[in-house]
Amino acid sequence: MEKTRSHGFAFAALFSSLFALVIAACFYATPAHADEQQSKIDSRALSMSIVSGGTWIHETQGWWIKKPDGSYPKNEWVLADNKIYRFNASGWMQTGWVKVDGQWYYCSRSGDLQTGWKKLSGKWYYLAADGAMQTGKQEIDKKTYFFKSSGAMVTGWNKESDGWHYYAGSGAMKTGWQKVGGKWYYLADSGIMKTGWQQIGGTWYYLNGSGAMKTGWLKSGGKWYYLNGSGAMQTNRWIGDYYVGSDGVMATNTTIDGYRVGSDGKWIKQTQSASTQNTSMVTYASGSSVYHTKNCRSAAKINNPITVSLSKAQSMGLRLCKNCA
């Protein structure tokens, strides 16, 4: 048995103006594009079904609308009860994904055109104010998102025409420092993943080809640099037996504060004269492999220091404490 229900339909002027406003809301028209936008709106409005009354009819194949004259809308958008519906070439109301003039739209199970965020089959989609499925990069509520050609929202890393970008689980594009997979990356204000040397907040960092922040010793441009645990390039300080200058470059073949460094940058420990070695006294802890010439913080922790001559300590294979160097 047929199931019928009656609905009131808008008059032509109201129908056309309402739908035109819905479509216009999804565009940002500059003066240069105003004519093009208007022509699209007029074209869509003219394709509308103009119905002043009719009856919904349900059959095995689905729903359709019977106009007062017995005809029915085909290949048209129809406004009913303040909702927009699409009817195919045979006159049946469409549901699910609908492609019209090369553009995808989504109609609910009840047939009404959907807008805004929709989660379908576990994936998120965004439908503009006119119902058009969005693709590519889109700014929504002051956040940037990226949608595949299928319309599905992207999360995680995404390679785009200008480089790599990272999108959170919510789909929002990230900027600034981001820790991903246990590694740090830096994303510019535009979202582009940065590589190579970057000065950020007055500090230099190095991001390798994959974008991951580098730490420790780095050879770049034939020169050595040292980046601490936070990735910051170090300057004007000793790194163990090596010294990095004001430009961060490891010093070679020079003297720093009275300490000579060789061609490999390592501090060359000077050999003292035999008389000095015999008279200079040092301390060490039992079982330790280093000796102390000063009361450094390490030496201060020794409970029962052993005192011997410098030559004796060196003959025992002990080396100078780095804190005493």
Side-chain angles (χ1 to χ4, degrees):
M1 177 180 290
E2 284 188 351
K3 295 180 181 178
T4 64
R5 54 177 178 169
S6 297
H7 293 265
F9 291 87
F11 288 98
L14 177 60
F15 196 137
S16 299
S17 61
L18 274 176
F19 197 76
L21 286 172
V22 169
I23 294 173
C26 73
F27 293 100
Y28 175 78
T30 62
H33 297 113
D35 291 340
E36 178 184 353
Q37 178 185 328
Q38 186 60 47
S39 66
K40 290 179 179 178
I41 294 172
D42 290 345
S43 175
R44 182 66 60 80
L46 289 173
S47 68
M48 292 285 183
S49 175
I50 308 301
V51 182
S52 60
T55 303
W56 280 98
I57 298 176
H58 183 260
E59 297 183 9
T60 304
Q61 297 93 323
W63 288 93
W64 61 284
I65 289 179
K66 184 178 180 180
K67 298 180 181 180
D69 62 3
S71 65
Y72 53 91
K74 298 182 293 183
N75 278 335
E76 296 175 90
W77 293 104
V78 171
L79 182 65
D81 292 339
N82 294 319
K83 294 181 180 180
I84 299 171
Y85 300 85
R86 179 71 187 182
F87 294 86
N88 66 17
S90 299
W92 298 109
M93 182 191 76
Q94 295 185 264
T95 61
W97 287 110
V98 179
K99 193 173 187 179
V100 179
D101 297 329
Q103 177 65 59
W104 286 99
Y105 301 83
Y106 187 81
C107 296
S108 71
R109 293 180 64 183
S110 62
D112 56 306
L113 179 67
Q114 300 291 288
T115 61
W117 286 104
K118 295 295 172 185
K119 190 174 186 180
L120 304 168
S121 300
K123 297 179 181 179
W124 283 99
Y125 298 81
Y126 189 78
L127 309 168
D130 67 344
M133 181 192 79
Q134 299 299 285
T135 61
K137 188 169 287 185
Q138 303 290 334
E139 186 170 346
I140 303 168
D141 296 331
K142 297 182 179 180
K143 293 182 180 180
T144 301
Y145 300 83
F146 193 94
F147 301 89
K148 298 178 182 179
S149 59
S150 66
M153 183 189 76
V154 167
T155 60
W157 289 108
N158 189 52
K159 190 172 185 180
E160 300 167 23
S161 59
D162 57 355
W164 285 95
H165 296 250
Y166 186 78
Y167 297 86
S170 66
M173 185 184 76
K174 306 299 288 183
T175 61
W177 285 108
Q178 300 296 325
K179 192 173 186 180
V180 182
K183 297 179 180 180
W184 284 99
Y185 299 82
Y186 187 78
L187 310 169
D189 290 342
S190 63
I192 299 173
M193 181 192 78
K194 307 300 285 185
T195 60
W197 285 107
Q198 300 292 330
Q199 190 174 33
I200 303 167
T203 301
W204 284 98
Y205 299 83
Y206 188 85
L207 308 166
N208 63 26
S210 69
M213 184 189 76
K214 176 72 176 175
T215 61
W217 284 105
L218 167 71
K219 190 173 185 180
S220 175
K223 299 177 180 179
W224 285 96
Y225 301 81
Y226 187 80
L227 312 166
N228 68 10
S230 69
M233 183 188 78
Q234 301 298 284
T235 61
N236 297 321
R237 60 165 295 184
W238 286 96
I239 310 296
D241 289 340
Y242 302 84
Y243 188 83
V244 290
S246 58
D247 58 358
V249 177
M250 181 188 73
T252 58
N253 292 320
T254 189
T255 300
I256 309 294
D257 298 331
Y259 297 94
R260 183 72 182 174
V261 293
S263 59
D264 61 354
K266 190 174 184 179
W267 168 44
I268 301 173
K269 298 175 176 60
Q270 300 293 328
T271 302
Q272 298 181 353
S273 65
S275 59
T276 301
Q277 290 182 0
N278 289 330
T279 57
S280 296
M281 304 303 290
V282 299
T283 60
Y284 70 96
S286 177
S288 174
S289 61
V290 300
Y291 64 84
H292 306 272
T293 58
K294 304 175 183 177
N295 188 31
C296 69
R297 61 177 181 271
S298 297
K301 295 178 181 179
I302 302 174
N303 292 326
N304 298 298
I306 302 171
T307 302
V308 296
S309 67
L310 175 59
S311 59
K312 175 64 174 177
Q314 291 178 337
S315 69
M316 295 168 61
L318 302 182
R319 56 185 175 80
L320 179 63
C321 164
K322 288 184 179 180
N323 293 327
C324 295

